[in-house]
Amino acid sequence: MGLTVAEKLIERHLVSGSLKRGEPIAIRIDQTLTQDATGTMAYLEFEAIGIPRVKTELSVSYVDHNLLQTDFRNADDHRFLQSIAARYGLWFSRPGNGICHQVHLERFARPGKTLLGSDSHTPTAGGCAMLAIGAGGLDVAMAMAGKPFHLLMPKIVGVHLTGSLPPWVSARDVALWMLRKLTVKGGLGKILEYFGPGVKNLSVPDRATIANLGTEMGATTSVFPSDEVTLAWLRAQGREEEWEEILADPDARYDEIIELDLSSLEPLAACPSSPDNVRPVAEIEGRPVAQVIVGSCANSSLRDLLVVAKTLAGRKVHPEVSFEINPGSLQVLENLDALGALKDLIHAGARIHQSGCLGCIGMGQAPATGTISLRTFTRNFPGRSGTKNDQVFLVSPEVAVAAALTGKITDPRKLGAYPEIELPERFILNDALLLPPLPPEQAEKVEIVRGPNIVPLPAFEPMPETLRCKVLLKVGDNITTDHIMPAGAKILPLRSNLPAISEYVFSAIDPEFAKKALATKEAGEWVAVVGGENYGQGSSREHAALAPRYLGVRAKLAKSFARIHKANLINFGILPVVFADPADYDRIEPGDELVFPEIRKALESGAEEIRIEIPGKGEIKGRLELTERDRKIILAGSLLNLARE
Ligand code: MIC
Ligand code: SF4
């Protein structure tokens, strides 16, 4: 039987397991990427594993998240990361070079290869026919050490594209349409593979936008085939020799098929405050807008900024709007300039920022109180922008520029003729801020630069025979890692300092959580948290597991878990338990004790169902949805412990 593109990519890299859906598999990883916010921890872990040089074909360390240097801490981390890259044989993308996913697409993404990244939007490279997966930093550290990546073989959903996009409608609207259909959890355990005659009408940056936003559906990854459009992209990047054709076989079978006629799409928007709260722009027109930002790994490519610049040419930004541009990379910025489009932006009154994540991770660009902000970003989780009760809408660059001109949410189809965009056949390449790996003889001599903000990892105790926990918090459905471990300008600089960052765990939900947890731990008891569906959606940040673990959290009981967060919990020895009967969620309250009798035995024996005693309330049943390897890690107390064993 024929294979899909995703199956071909997996089959080529299979180390153990088969293509049978839902079964544990391990795949070889060719490339890795990290960004600074997750990278400092990932490299501390890599050092702890003790390998002299990365064993991948290519590994890149990017600095794009923590660009704000309000004190020594972020700058210290940048120097630490640069010295680590030099010491261990990695590429280093310096601050200002651009957002990891955009730069990776331009300079390194290669059809047919696997990429593991410590950032949830790593699937962006799926737009260039890679199998690109987001993971926690420790999983990426293991991949750099040459170890395979473990996951459950996903189902493969074929998205059959026909037609082509109408004027003023773009790749973002494809992703928003998908988000409305699948919701933030509809992609769980699935790979979204795009195929059909409509695919050739999408450029690689368009495909990358769509693959990027598959993350918001909870998908393991998204992939596109490698065709002539891919070849044209690689040629434009001076890398045509890296091309290889990869198409689904004509008789390939998908587990499910979604039909989408691109010509039927209209401009859409994700309304506050969830990426799947999608409505047609035509229905929400007229609301006044105070801020518009075009940027982020989803929509800041040259195509995106060219559309915006050409639309603005000869016009002025509305006086009530702060219109901001965060270019995806230095390459985007330089090409924009060479094509004469940068001056259209500047002349219209756009605020041009450096290349990086910036406001997308709450590093500046917080909107004003009670105002609407339109952004081409990936996530509008409540408060992520840095402003309480924020009203963030996620839109295409087309919808963004329409609002920048009119001062209100506007259907861009009212703006007149759609600008003709042509991407250069050859981009001007700018690798000024991209440092290649040092040869081994030189690398060995590099000293790692460690500032005072870099605190080594603590020890992780193994799982006790019987686990006793106190429930300190109960939360609802779709809790994000931004709720568990917030980011933003105040907290991000603490990413390499576990004791310090732990003080902010759940701070927006219960400011006393960290204090109470530490007190419970000091009193000799572990801590548990109870959650609803899709617990831990969003970012790949392992700090959302590591910091709670530091505070003594040892069990999470939820109706269901998001993929990356669940893997991170396991990696740091926190027991993820699913309610056997979701109705039991209502029986537990903060203050209850949870006893997991003989939990070690249960883990060792492979038990799928366990008893949980709630003193004074009887008992309930929990499910352990864990592979054999997961069980070993939890028993050992962390993957690091297991790797050392
Ligand atoms: C995000 O968009 O939330 C981030 C910041 O890129 C995260 C990684 C992080 O928390 O450092 C992600 O998506 O994985
Ligand atoms: Fe950066 Fe935002 Fe992309 Fe995360 S989603 S990598 S913060 S641009």
Side-chain angles (χ1 to χ4, degrees):
M1 202 185 62
L3 295 180
T4 70
V5 170
E7 286 173 326
K8 289 185 182 184
L9 297 179
I10 292 172
E11 192 167 62
R12 278 188 192 185
H13 292 89
L14 216 48
V15 175
S16 69
S18 71
L19 295 180
K20 192 150 164 257
R21 312 300 194 245
E23 300 282 306
I25 58 171
I27 53 172
R28 200 178 62 251
I29 298 299
D30 302 320
Q31 302 187 355
T32 63
L33 72 75
T34 57
Q35 37 90 341
D36 48 336
T38 55
T40 42
M41 197 50 82
Y43 294 109
L44 288 172
E45 290 155 355
F46 180 75
E47 285 189 300
I49 301 171
I51 303 269
R53 194 176 170 92
V54 292
K55 293 195 171 170
T56 45
E57 290 174 11
L58 175 129
S59 287
V60 193
S61 171
Y62 293 92
V63 178
D64 53 2
H65 281 63
N66 294 345
L67 298 181
L68 218 59
Q69 291 166 214
T70 46
D71 63 23
F72 63 94
R73 288 175 300 188
N74 286 339
D76 276 5
D77 284 357
H78 300 167
R79 279 165 57 81
F80 168 71
L81 290 168
Q82 182 161 345
S83 66
I84 285 273
R87 172 70 186 75
Y88 293 109
L90 291 94
W91 286 83
F92 185 66
S93 176
R94 300 182 60 199
N97 192 41
I99 305 172
C100 53
H101 309 302
Q102 176 66 29
V103 177
H104 209 84
L105 191 72
E106 293 166 356
R107 307 308 298 135
F108 302 114
R110 184 168 179 162
K113 298 287 182 183
T114 51
L115 167 68
L116 195 71
S118 65
D119 189 279
S120 64
H121 292 101
T122 303
T124 313
C128 199
M130 291 194 93
L131 187 78
I133 302 180
L138 183 50
D139 284 327
V140 176
M142 296 294 278
M144 289 190 285
K147 301 279 179 237
F149 176 63
H150 297 257
L151 73 164
L152 299 179
M153 176 64 203
K155 285 197 174 140
I156 299 174
V157 178
V159 187
H160 186 239
L161 299 180
T162 52
S164 56
L165 292 168
W168 299 106
V169 175
S170 63
R172 163 70 62 156
D173 300 304
V174 176
L176 287 170
W177 185 90
M178 288 287 294
L179 264 159
R180 185 169 58 185
K181 193 171 176 68
L182 291 184
T183 77
V184 289
K185 50 177 195 253
L188 215 70
K190 296 175 180 170
I191 294 180
L192 305 173
E193 176 170 327
Y194 292 81
F195 74 110
V199 168
K200 66 171 188 318
N201 300 325
L202 298 170
S203 69
V204 166
D206 293 336
R207 297 174 185 186
T209 296
I210 296 168
N212 171 291
L213 290 164
T215 296
E216 300 325 312
M217 302 159 214
T220 303
T221 189
S222 302
V223 287
F224 279 82
S226 174
D227 55 11
E228 323 78 72
V229 178
T230 322
L231 174 60
W233 170 256
L234 289 172
R235 190 180 296 125
Q237 292 292 333
R239 300 196 284 125
E240 56 266 54
E241 73 288 351
E242 295 180 19
W243 183 71
E244 161 192 6
E245 187 174 65
I246 307 173
L247 307 174
D249 293 327
D251 57 342
R253 279 239 303 273
Y254 295 96
D255 296 303
E256 223 176 284
I257 288 192
I258 296 175
E259 291 286 345
L260 173 57
D261 175 3
L262 296 172
S263 24
S264 72
L265 287 174
E266 60 179 320
L268 298 170
C271 302
S273 287
S274 178
D276 62 358
N277 186 16
V278 175
R279 292 179 61 186
V281 171
E283 282 178 16
I284 54 170
E285 273 191 302
R287 305 185 193 186
V289 170
Q291 183 190 47
V292 176
I293 317 179
V294 179
S296 95
C297 53
N299 267 125
S300 58
S301 70
L302 183 62
R303 186 222 80 96
D304 296 332
L305 299 198
L306 273 178
V307 170
V308 170
K310 298 251 170 167
T311 307
L312 278 182
R315 305 186 192 174
K316 285 273 178 274
V317 168
H318 190 277
E320 296 294 329
V321 176
S322 171
F323 182 52
E324 319 198 16
I325 301 280
N326 305 346
S329 68
L330 211 56
Q331 184 193 85
V332 167
L333 192 57
E334 185 168 353
N335 283 274
L336 197 67
D337 180 38
L339 294 169
L342 183 59
K343 75 168 190 321
D344 293 331
L345 293 177
I346 295 172
H347 201 70
R351 296 170 64 179
I352 314 286
H353 296 273
Q354 67 173 317
S355 295
C357 300
L358 314 184
C360 184
I361 188 63
M363 292 301 256
Q365 302 184 309
T369 316
T371 62
I372 288 182
S373 174
L374 251 56
R375 304 167 160 210
T376 68
F377 294 178
T378 56
R379 298 180 168 147
N380 58 348
F381 300 148
R384 180 174 158 106
S385 68
T387 298
K388 268 219 168 101
N389 303 319
D390 53 5
Q391 297 177 59
V392 175
F393 291 70
L394 304 175
V395 297
S396 65
E398 287 81 353
V399 174
V401 70
L405 284 168
T406 61
K408 48 190 192 231
I409 299 182
T410 303
D411 188 329
R413 292 173 295 187
K414 293 187 174 153
L415 292 181
Y418 191 44
E420 297 256 328
I421 298 299
E422 235 186 285
L423 288 183
E425 270 175 37
R426 299 241 166 216
F427 281 76
I428 300 167
L429 306 181
N430 181 344
D431 291 341
L433 292 179
L434 195 56
L435 308 180
L438 289 183
E441 329 71 79
Q442 280 179 42
E444 280 161 19
K445 299 193 190 104
V446 173
E447 288 261 353
I448 308 293
V449 186
R450 249 176 263 271
N453 190 38
I454 295 178
V455 177
L457 285 170
F460 300 98
E461 310 85 333
M463 186 53 85
E465 292 303 331
T466 283
L467 179 65
R468 284 167 215 283
C469 301
K470 184 164 182 177
V471 178
L472 287 188
L473 186 69
K474 179 175 170 182
V475 291
D477 291 344
N478 294 322
I479 283 297
T480 73
T481 51
D482 279 280
H483 291 103
I484 305 170
M485 185 73 264
K490 191 164 110 198
I491 307 179
L492 271 187
L494 306 173
R495 283 285 180 97
S496 53
N497 186 339
L498 195 54
I501 203 169
S502 299
E503 291 172 21
Y504 296 93
V505 170
F506 285 120
S507 54
I509 299 181
D510 175 4
E512 296 299 305
F513 181 85
K515 254 198 227 126
K516 287 191 280 188
L518 276 179
T520 309
K521 185 177 161 191
E522 266 150 37
E525 203 175 6
W526 296 102
V527 176
V529 172
V530 174
E533 298 282 2
N534 197 23
Y535 181 85
Q537 69 161 324
S539 148
S540 68
R541 58 188 74 147
E542 60 188 343
H543 300 74
L546 200 44
R549 172 71 207 263
Y550 177 82
L551 296 175
V553 176
R554 218 50 211 277
K556 297 237 175 161
L557 192 53
K559 293 182 186 169
S560 65
F561 289 92
R563 176 186 66 89
I564 306 181
H565 185 59
K566 180 177 166 194
N568 285 333
L569 292 174
I570 294 167
N571 280 351
F572 293 103
I574 299 179
L575 190 68
V577 186
V578 178
F579 284 104
D581 177 1
D584 285 337
Y585 171 86
D586 298 322
R587 287 178 60 187
I588 306 181
E589 290 308 327
D592 284 347
E593 307 273 332
L594 298 182
V595 183
F596 301 81
E598 303 201 316
I599 188 66
R600 278 196 78 88
K601 276 207 189 109
L603 285 163
E604 279 159 5
S605 69
E608 286 176 3
E609 199 166 80
I610 54 167
R611 277 187 322 114
I612 308 169
E613 295 166 5
I614 316 171
K617 288 191 177 175
E619 68 174 50
I620 60 169
K621 294 253 180 321
R623 291 191 54 75
L624 297 181
E625 296 175 354
L626 301 170
T627 65
E628 213 185 304
R629 176 175 179 268
D630 296 340
R631 290 165 188 267
K632 283 193 190 141
I633 299 173
I634 295 173
L635 284 165
S638 79
L639 177 56
L640 275 176
N641 293 359
L642 187 69
R644 282 203 208 98
E645 277 173 23

